[in-house]
């Protein structure tokens, strides 16, 4: 565990110090639409804060997608999704969304670090993702981007995140005609074709692909490139040869080409025996479903977040100011320090005394006392108790020295006196003119 954020996770000088009520601790990642920070509220709540990039803030399409993600995530309050903790206003110049911080790795990270998951863990992941999809679909939402990197492994169950391209049942599509939005390898055939009707069966197809990846480390339609992968999804059968037999019975029905032939969530929930479902749900409830290597990753991430928080406390006081920015400075970038230079700080207003409802002329502040000529040192003060203590023999701070008096030894001879010349001698146009 490091004592400071890693270079890719450390806050930059241009990053804000706060977003809303959250003090930023580090960067969790970045994507095409925005940045994700780790923040801590005054009450100690850790949050993953997603911020839309400045260059996209005025783009109507990206702004609509971000606002839709905010709306979608706010509708979902199930156990297996990251809870929404706060957000910006819909009309704010800069948009941000704070969700519950889950220190566990994603399925993608866990498989890359420790290899494919064992069948028992996959069945628990299966049950948790079914619970997440049940909550999502009951809210009238289709996720449309369920994949290993969007499933976090928490101690009490998986968490489905990232609703950036989710579809609401009561909103129009934001994608253009014949344009597919998603991740190759986990997109349903109807989503690739750009069908107008993309419903819950599309998420069921992605669920089967995600579980196959968790069991093997590759998508069941993995191709040499994105074009080949898309072709295999539409035309070829999935490759499930490396998937354990007890998992194939769960995954294969989800990967039907025709969405009408795929099982519903209720049907999938009944595919495990009652005794097996009860045993797995007990492991989920008590946080005993993850193998030791993934639990170690979770503990390491929790410790890293604490180390980041400690490193954040040691930053100098001249950190970037809070964000959002004031309404009178809407052209300033999100990631711009708001600290004003010293020469831009306005002078303090003179003190005014009100007498009988009338305001006389401002009372000027008394001029500071000047030291006697030929002396130097810190400026004198009227109150000896307020004088800074520099120590009996310690040096005087150079910043406080009076420099208007030359410090010359007593035996220095006087400077030679220069002959006085008329001012006309210094004007080129008047040289040679003798004053009469």
């Amino acid at each position: 565990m490091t004592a400071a954020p890693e270079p890719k996770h450390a806050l930059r000088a241009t990053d804000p110090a706060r977003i809303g009520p959250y003090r930023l601790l580090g960067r969790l990642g970045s994507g095409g639409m925005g940045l994700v920070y780790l923040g801590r509220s005054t009450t100690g709540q850790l949050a993953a804060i997603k911020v839309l990039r400045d260059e996209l803030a005025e783009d109507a399409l990206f702004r609509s997608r971000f606002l839709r993600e905010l709306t979608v995530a706010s509708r979902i309050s199930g156990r297996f999704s990251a809870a929404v903790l706060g957000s910006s206003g819909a009309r704010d110049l800069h948009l941000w969304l704070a969700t519950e911080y889950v220190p566990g790795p994603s399925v993608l990270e866990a498989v890359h670090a420790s290899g494919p998951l064992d069948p028992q863990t996959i069945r628990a992941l299966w049950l948790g993702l079914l619970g997440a999809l049940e909550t999502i679909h009951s809210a009238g939402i289709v996720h449309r981007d369920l994949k290993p990197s969007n499933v976090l492994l928490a101690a009490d169950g998986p968490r489905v995140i990232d609703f950036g391209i989710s579809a609401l049942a009561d909103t129009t599509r934001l994608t253009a005609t014949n344009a597919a939005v998603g991740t190759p390898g986990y997109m349903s055939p109807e989503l690739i074709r750009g069908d107008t009707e993309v419903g819950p069966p599309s998420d069921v197809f992605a669920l089967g692909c995600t579980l196959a990846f968790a069991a093997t480390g590759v998508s069941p339609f993995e191709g040499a490139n994105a074009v080949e992968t898309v072709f295999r999804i539409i035309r070829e059968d999935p490759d499930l040869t490396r998937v354990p037999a007890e998992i194939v019975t769960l995954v294969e029905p989800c990967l039907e080409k025709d969405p009408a032939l795929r099982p519903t969530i209720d049907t999938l929930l009944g595919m495990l025996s009652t005794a097996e479902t009860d045993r797995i749900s007990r492991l989920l409830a008590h946080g005993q479903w993850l193998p030791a290597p993934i639990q170690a990753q979770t503990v390491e991430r929790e410790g890293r977040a604490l180390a980041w928080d400690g490193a954040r406390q040691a930053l100098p006081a001249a950190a970037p100011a809070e964000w959002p920015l004031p309404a009178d400075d809407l052209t300033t970038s999100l990631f711009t320090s708001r600290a004003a230079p010293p020469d831009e700080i306005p002078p303090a207003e003179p003190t005014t005394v009100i007498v009988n409802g009338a305001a006389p002329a401002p009372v000027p502040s008394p001029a500071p006392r000047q030291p006697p000529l030929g002396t130097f040192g810190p400026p004198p003060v009227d109150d000896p108790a307020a004088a800074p203590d520099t120590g009996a023999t310690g040096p005087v701070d150079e910043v406080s020295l009076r420099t208007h008096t030359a410090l010359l030894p007593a035996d220095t001879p006087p400077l030679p006196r220069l002959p006085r010349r008329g001012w006309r001698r210094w004007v080129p146009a008047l040289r040679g003119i003798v004053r009469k």
Side-chain angles (χ1 to χ4, degrees):
M1 182 177 63
T2 57
E6 300 173 10
K8 65 178 180 179
H9 296 302
L11 290 176
R12 316 288 171 81
T14 54
D15 287 335
R18 300 182 71 94
I19 293 181
Y22 300 97
R23 179 174 182 173
L24 301 189
L25 309 178
R27 287 188 175 196
L28 291 176
S30 61
M33 288 185 63
L35 298 168
V36 183
Y37 295 98
L38 174 63
R40 172 175 52 81
S41 69
T42 306
T43 58
Q45 174 73 61
L46 292 178
I49 307 167
K50 184 176 182 179
V51 183
L52 185 65
R53 292 183 182 274
D54 273 1
E55 57 268 26
L56 303 178
E58 297 182 0
D59 187 285
L61 176 61
F62 285 99
R63 189 176 181 89
S64 298
R65 285 182 177 176
F66 196 93
L67 289 174
R68 182 172 60 177
E69 179 179 4
L70 193 157
T71 303
V72 169
S74 300
R75 286 191 182 187
I76 301 172
S77 58
R79 170 188 171 190
F80 298 111
S81 61
V84 174
L85 304 178
S87 65
S88 60
R91 297 186 178 181
D92 289 353
L93 177 64
H94 300 290
L95 302 179
W96 58 272
L97 172 66
T99 59
E100 171 193 8
Y101 172 63
V102 181
S106 67
V107 172
L108 179 67
E109 294 170 329
V111 171
H112 284 172
S114 307
L117 305 181
D118 60 271
Q120 175 175 291
T121 304
I122 293 177
R123 284 194 290 269
L125 177 64
W126 156 272
L127 198 62
L129 290 180
L130 288 178
L133 291 180
E134 186 177 37
T135 302
I136 293 171
H137 295 164
S138 63
I141 299 167
V142 181
H143 191 284
R144 299 203 306 174
D145 198 22
L146 183 65
K147 57 185 178 180
S149 61
N150 283 343
V151 178
L152 303 181
L153 302 178
D156 58 346
R159 297 285 193 277
V160 176
I161 61 171
D162 198 352
F163 294 86
I165 62 173
S166 300
L168 296 173
D170 54 353
T171 59
T172 58
R173 299 173 61 211
L174 290 176
T175 54
T177 303
N178 298 326
V181 178
T183 303
Y186 304 94
M187 298 170 62
S188 64
E190 62 270 26
L191 191 59
I192 294 175
R193 292 191 299 263
D195 294 351
T196 56
E197 297 294 333
V198 177
S202 179
D203 287 344
V204 172
F205 186 92
L207 170 66
C209 295
T210 300
L211 290 176
F213 174 87
T216 63
V218 294
S219 166
F221 299 97
E222 188 75 19
N225 50 54
V227 175
E228 182 179 343
T229 300
V230 168
F231 176 83
R232 293 187 61 184
I233 290 176
I234 296 178
R235 298 295 183 183
E236 297 183 3
D237 295 331
D239 181 8
L240 302 177
T241 56
R242 290 185 291 173
V243 179
E246 60 267 38
I247 304 300
V248 171
T249 57
L250 303 178
V251 171
E252 193 171 24
C254 301
L255 301 180
E256 291 285 347
K257 306 296 184 185
D258 186 355
L261 299 179
R262 296 174 203 150
T264 63
I265 299 297
D266 290 338
T267 302
L268 293 173
L269 285 171
M271 293 183 68
L272 293 177
S273 65
T274 303
E276 182 69 4
T277 301
D278 183 70
R279 186 182 66 84
I280 294 175
S281 62
R282 185 170 64 252
L283 294 177
L284 287 169
H286 296 279
Q288 301 295 323
W289 73 287
L290 290 174
I294 299 180
Q295 291 181 3
Q297 282 184 275
T298 302
V299 172
E300 188 272 339
R301 291 189 176 215
E302 291 174 346
R304 186 188 306 171
L306 181 60
W308 292 2
D309 203 347
R312 190 68 182 85
Q313 300 294 330
L315 290 180
E322 295 184 9
W323 182 85
L325 303 177
D328 59 348
D329 194 3
L330 300 182
T331 60
T332 304
S333 172
L334 162 63
F335 307 113
T336 301
S337 175
R338 296 290 300 159
D343 54 350
E344 294 184 7
I345 299 177
E349 295 292 336
T351 304
T352 304
V353 181
I354 306 298
V355 180
N356 296 330
V363 179
S365 302
R369 295 171 53 195
Q370 300 294 336
L373 295 178
T375 64
F376 67 94
V381 295
D382 295 325
D383 185 6
D389 184 10
T390 59
T393 58
V396 180
D397 186 3
E398 295 181 0
V399 178
S400 63
L401 293 179
R402 296 284 183 169
T403 58
H404 61 276
T405 304
L407 308 179
L408 299 176
D411 56 351
T412 301
L415 297 176
R417 182 165 183 171
L418 299 177
R420 186 174 182 181
R421 299 181 180 180
W423 61 272
R424 291 176 180 271
R425 294 176 180 265
W426 303 100
V427 182
L430 298 179
R431 288 178 182 173
I433 299 178
V434 181
R435 183 180 180 181
K436 296 183 180 180

